[in-house]
Structure formats: structure tokens, C-alpha cells
Amino acid sequence: MRKMIIASTSSVYGSDYLAYLLPEISLLFKDADTVLFIPYARPSGISYDEYTRIVKNAFAKISKKVIGIHQFDNQKEALENAKAIFTGGGNTFELVNQLYKNDILALLKKVLENGTPYLGTSAGGNICGVSMMTTNDMPIVYPPSFYTLGCLPFNINAHFIDPLPNSTHMGETRETRIKEFHVFNDTPVLGLREGSWLRVIGNVIKLEGNFTAKWFQPTRIPIEIESGSEFDS
Amino acid sequence: MRKMIIASTSSVYGSDYLAYLLPEISLLFKDADTVLFIPYARPSGISYDEYTRIVKNAFAKISKKVIGIHQFDNQKEALENAKAIFTGGGNTFELVNQLYKNDILALLKKVLENGTPYLGTSAGGNICGVSMMTTNDMPIVYPPSFYTLGCLPFNINAHFIDPLPNSTHMGETRETRIKEFHVFNDTPVLGLREGSWLRVIGNVIKLEGNFTAKWFQPTRIPIEIESGSEFDS
């Protein structure tokens, strides 16, 4: 049975890395001493080792060890043996690129479907959707495909943000971008605000956190979903 | 000899479509009665015909006719015969996708190098760089490649914007995204603010408009370039 937390962001403003989620992560990863960390999104381009150190420091607060998947000669074995998996944020293009290059995307999906507890924040949450086509990230590398895990029957837009009032900037709003996505694609999109997350238990997907989320479907007016609402998968 | 205007945005805040550039466009396109318009970026997903209508209205003010490239059975002939070419903004992924699908990217580069006057705004300016890897757009379609015209020896970041003071949003700033690009790529990037544009005449590339532009190179601190500065190509 699937057990996942898919969060819009690793950190909320003014708070330490992962701090707002640690009580939830403690429960999700309660049967694991060690967390397998996937550092491939490399926020700000930091190295795998640097990124893993940041994650180690955060998980030390809930007495969990952390090992980066890049430290294993056999990444497939590492995934199969993991008792808990965390994919952190950064650049979704590079994350997806490395998942394909290391040929671990399909296996990651399999172990998640089989019940290995999973935490994904930002880019690590984006990859749980049907595709990465609703990422906000810059296409700094060319991955072999935009298709991702498909653990959710919809796409995530992480760090969802409403238009800024009184903005004079002419770049597209987030909502405009998602509407453009729906000209070419049918997959619904959930705009997850920072501080919101999804809890997936088996086939039940529940919106958690203090905010509503914005639900986009092709040719329909987007609607706000209340925290506590459930989606079927 | 190349004659191009590459603008950060089609419209500045509070002003009609292309209005701020019309005096420049009049000069650039002075020998053309008719402008060939490439509508493939489809802002907000509007149709090619709708987009072409908007552009027709703007160019009517300087007494130019407009024909959309989608109206031609033979797009290559249309490019070769064009006296002036304009590519408008929208989604860079879909624009590049269509340039590849219609097999006109290489020919577009050729006619521009041979001197057909060209205007590119936003996505239509992005494609003048080495690659589209510094677009801000959402990857709503998967193009066959991220490589673009390479008329400039660097990449463009259109609608460049400085971090908002006092923002509590945890998504990456534009500068952070461009720095991530430079972890994986050596191509310099010019962050063009809205209201700035490049004038390309032969091998001289000059920054125009009322603002400085931000110049990013790998492993160097970004610098502000004054309006009026020239780049060699």
C-alpha cells in the first residue's frame, strides 16, 4: 500500500529546512532507521554530497540516518532495499534527466507502489505526477522525456502562487502558464501552495496543510480545493 | 548583413501591443510592405489566426500588411520570399517544437544571416540565442531539441526580473535559475529587462532601451551592462 507525502516546498518562509514537515515525516518513516536520499535535483547546482549533508542535518533531528543514492554502486539494489525514500527539490529537468540516465524511474515507481514510504518536496513532488510539464523550473538540461512517475492521476504545480496585485511585470502568471498547458494536454493540474502537501495512503490522496489548493482542468474554470479534501486515484 | 531587433517583451506595462517599439520597427522594416508573422508561440494558447489578427492590428499603425506563416502551403518558400519576419512571444517550448516540426529552423537562420530584417519579442527573441534553455516558460510540450537559431553567441533571458524585496516565496529567483544553468552550460546569458532590446546590425549587437541588462557568465559575478553597450558576435 502506497504511503507518500508530496509537498509543495521543503521549507516555508522563516523556518529551517524541512522543519514544518518533521512531525509528519517522523510518522511516515517510523519503521526506518535510514532514509535513502535522491539528491539529483541539485538546488542552486550544489553537489550531491553537499545536498546530502543538508538533508542529514535535518533528519538527525528525528534520529534518522541518511544515505545518498549516488553513494551506491548499484542504485537499483539501493532502491529495492530502502526502508524510506526522500527526493528533495531543485531543478526538475536535471532530476528527471538523472532518473532516466541511471535507469531508475520505473523501479522507483514500483517500490513506491509496493509501499516503501516516500517523501517528495518541490521537484521531488513534481515527479509524482503524470509528467513534469507543469514545473516552474528552467530547462537547463534536456531530459530524454518529460514523463514521470505517474503515482498521481494528475500533475503538480509546486510553489503555486497567485498573481501579485499591482504587478507591472508582463511575464505570464502561473495560472496563464497552466492554462497554456491545457491547450496541449488533458491531465488535470493541482497548484499546491507553499505549506500545502498531499498525503497518499493506498488509493486515497488527501490535501493537508493550512491552505486551499487550486485545481485546474481543461476548459473548466479552476476551483479552490479545501484542505482535508480527498482525491481518488 | 543581419538586421534584427530582439526584445525582452512585446508590450510594456500600460501600453498597447508593440507600441513602444513601433518607431524602431518602422525603420527596421522600411523596405517591406508585408511582414511574415510566425505565430507558433501562441500566448495563452490562442489560435494562429487570432494571434495573427492582433499582430495585423498593431502593424496597421505603421501601414504594414501581415501574413501568418501558417497560411502558406510552402513555409520554406514563404521564408525565402519574405521581406520582413516577426516572431511573437508566447510559449517557447511550443514555438521551438513547431519550428522543428515544420523543419524551418535552419532556413530561418539562413535568411536572417542573409539580411532579411527580423523582429523577435519574448519567445521570438529567446530563439535567437544558442538554446532555449534560459526561457521562463512552462514545458507544456516536448520539443525535439532545445537548440535554437544561434544568431547570438549567448542566450537570452527575456522578461528578466530582479528578486522582489520582502518576498516570502521560496521558489527560485531568476538569478538562481540562471546560475543553475551555468552549472551545466558555458553559454553566457543576457537578462533583458522589459523595455530593453538588442539591435543587431551585421556583427554588432547593441543594447537599447532605458534599462541596464544583467550579464551572466559561468563562475563569475553577474554584471550590469549599460544601455548603448555593444557585444561582439
Side-chain angles (χ1 to χ4, degrees):
Chain A
M1 194 175 76
R2 304 188 305 174
K3 297 187 264 311
M4 304 168 70
I5 288 182
I6 297 166
S8 174
T9 183
S10 59
S11 312
V12 291
Y13 181 72
S15 171
D16 284 348
Y17 185 68
L18 289 178
Y20 81 106
L21 276 175
L22 282 181
E24 291 292 336
I25 299 170
S26 280
L27 291 173
L28 178 71
F29 288 172
K30 66 180 163 33
D31 297 328
D33 295 327
T34 302
V35 177
L36 182 70
F37 175 54
I38 301 179
Y40 292 146
R42 300 180 62 182
S44 303
I46 60 172
S47 71
Y48 298 155
D49 284 343
E50 281 177 273
Y51 198 8
T52 304
R53 247 190 317 271
I54 293 167
V55 171
K56 268 184 184 159
N57 290 338
F59 277 87
K61 293 173 190 163
I62 53 169
S63 306
K64 306 284 181 200
K65 289 185 212 120
V66 172
I67 305 182
I69 196 168
H70 64 290
Q71 297 171 256
F72 289 85
D73 288 333
N74 189 328
Q75 298 194 13
K76 290 185 182 178
E77 256 179 43
L79 280 176
E80 278 167 344
N81 295 332
K83 296 282 179 282
I85 300 172
F86 169 42
T87 306
N91 185 284
T92 308
F93 290 87
E94 175 59 5
L95 170 59
V96 171
N97 195 36
Q98 291 302 329
L99 293 176
Y100 276 104
K101 272 195 173 169
N102 290 292
D103 190 26
I104 55 174
L105 189 75
L107 181 62
L108 178 57
K109 182 181 167 88
K110 190 179 147 207
V111 301
L112 301 190
E113 300 293 341
N114 286 345
T116 306
Y118 178 83
L119 170 67
T121 59
S122 192
N126 285 340
I127 59 169
C128 298
V130 174
S131 79
M132 55 161 288
M133 288 183 172
T134 49
T135 178
N136 313 308
D137 296 335
M138 198 170 255
I140 58 176
V141 297
Y142 184 73
S145 165
F146 286 164
Y147 287 96
T148 47
L149 294 170
C151 294
L152 303 172
F154 49 83
N155 270 11
I156 295 289
N157 179 256
H159 302 278
F160 182 78
I161 189 165
D162 298 290
L164 295 170
N166 309 318
S167 173
T168 61
H169 188 68
M170 303 299 283
E172 292 87 347
T173 65
R174 193 65 60 80
E175 180 156 337
T176 300
R177 295 176 192 279
I178 296 170
K179 284 182 178 168
E180 285 182 2
F181 169 77
H182 277 146
V183 173
F184 299 93
N185 304 275
D186 290 334
T187 306
V189 179
L190 186 67
L192 265 186
R193 293 183 173 88
E194 293 180 347
S196 290
W197 72 93
L198 296 176
R199 185 196 309 277
V200 182
I201 298 178
N203 288 327
V204 178
I205 302 165
K206 190 171 172 186
L207 178 63
E208 301 280 359
N210 292 327
F211 307 99
T212 59
K214 204 154 189 172
W215 178 246
F216 298 85
Q217 288 177 287
T219 74
R220 301 209 199 155
I221 293 169
I223 55 171
E224 293 289 342
I225 306 274
E226 295 297 322
S227 182
S229 301
E230 293 185 356
F231 304 79
D232 283 333
S233 68
Chain B
M1 196 175 75
R2 303 186 305 174
K3 299 188 263 315
M4 304 168 70
I5 287 181
I6 297 167
S8 174
T9 183
S10 58
S11 312
V12 291
Y13 182 73
S15 171
D16 283 348
Y17 185 69
L18 289 178
Y20 81 106
L21 276 174
L22 282 179
E24 292 293 336
I25 299 170
S26 281
L27 292 171
L28 177 71
F29 289 171
K30 65 180 162 35
D31 297 328
D33 295 327
T34 302
V35 176
L36 182 68
F37 174 55
I38 300 180
Y40 292 146
R42 301 180 62 182
S44 302
I46 59 172
S47 72
Y48 299 154
D49 284 343
E50 281 176 273
Y51 198 9
T52 305
R53 247 191 316 272
I54 293 168
V55 172
K56 269 184 184 158
N57 289 340
F59 277 86
K61 294 173 190 163
I62 54 170
S63 306
K64 306 284 180 201
K65 287 184 214 123
V66 171
I67 305 183
I69 196 168
H70 64 290
Q71 298 171 255
F72 289 85
D73 289 333
N74 189 329
Q75 298 194 13
K76 291 185 181 177
E77 255 179 43
L79 280 177
E80 279 166 343
N81 296 332
K83 296 281 178 284
I85 300 172
F86 169 42
T87 306
N91 185 283
T92 308
F93 290 86
E94 175 58 6
L95 170 58
V96 170
N97 196 35
Q98 291 302 327
L99 293 176
Y100 277 103
K101 272 197 174 168
N102 291 291
D103 190 26
I104 56 173
L105 190 76
L107 181 62
L108 177 57
K109 181 181 169 87
K110 190 179 150 207
V111 301
L112 301 190
E113 299 293 340
N114 287 346
T116 307
Y118 178 82
L119 170 68
T121 59
S122 192
N126 285 341
I127 60 168
C128 297
V130 174
S131 79
M132 56 161 287
M133 288 183 173
T134 49
T135 177
N136 314 309
D137 296 335
M138 198 170 255
I140 58 175
V141 297
Y142 184 74
S145 166
F146 285 164
Y147 287 97
T148 48
L149 293 170
C151 293
L152 304 171
F154 49 83
N155 270 12
I156 296 289
N157 179 255
H159 302 278
F160 182 78
I161 189 165
D162 298 291
L164 296 171
N166 309 319
S167 172
T168 60
H169 188 67
M170 303 299 284
E172 292 88 349
T173 65
R174 194 64 61 80
E175 181 158 335
T176 299
R177 295 176 192 279
I178 296 170
K179 284 182 178 168
E180 285 183 1
F181 169 77
H182 277 146
V183 173
F184 300 94
N185 304 276
D186 289 335
T187 306
V189 178
L190 186 66
L192 265 186
R193 293 184 174 86
E194 293 180 347
S196 289
W197 71 93
L198 296 175
R199 186 196 309 278
V200 183
I201 298 177
N203 288 326
V204 178
I205 302 165
K206 191 173 173 185
L207 178 63
E208 301 279 1
N210 293 328
F211 307 99
T212 59
K214 203 153 191 173
W215 178 247
F216 298 85
Q217 288 177 287
T219 74
R220 299 207 201 157
I221 293 168
I223 55 172
E224 293 289 340
I225 307 274
E226 296 297 320
S227 182
S229 303
E230 292 183 357
F231 304 79
D232 283 335
S233 69

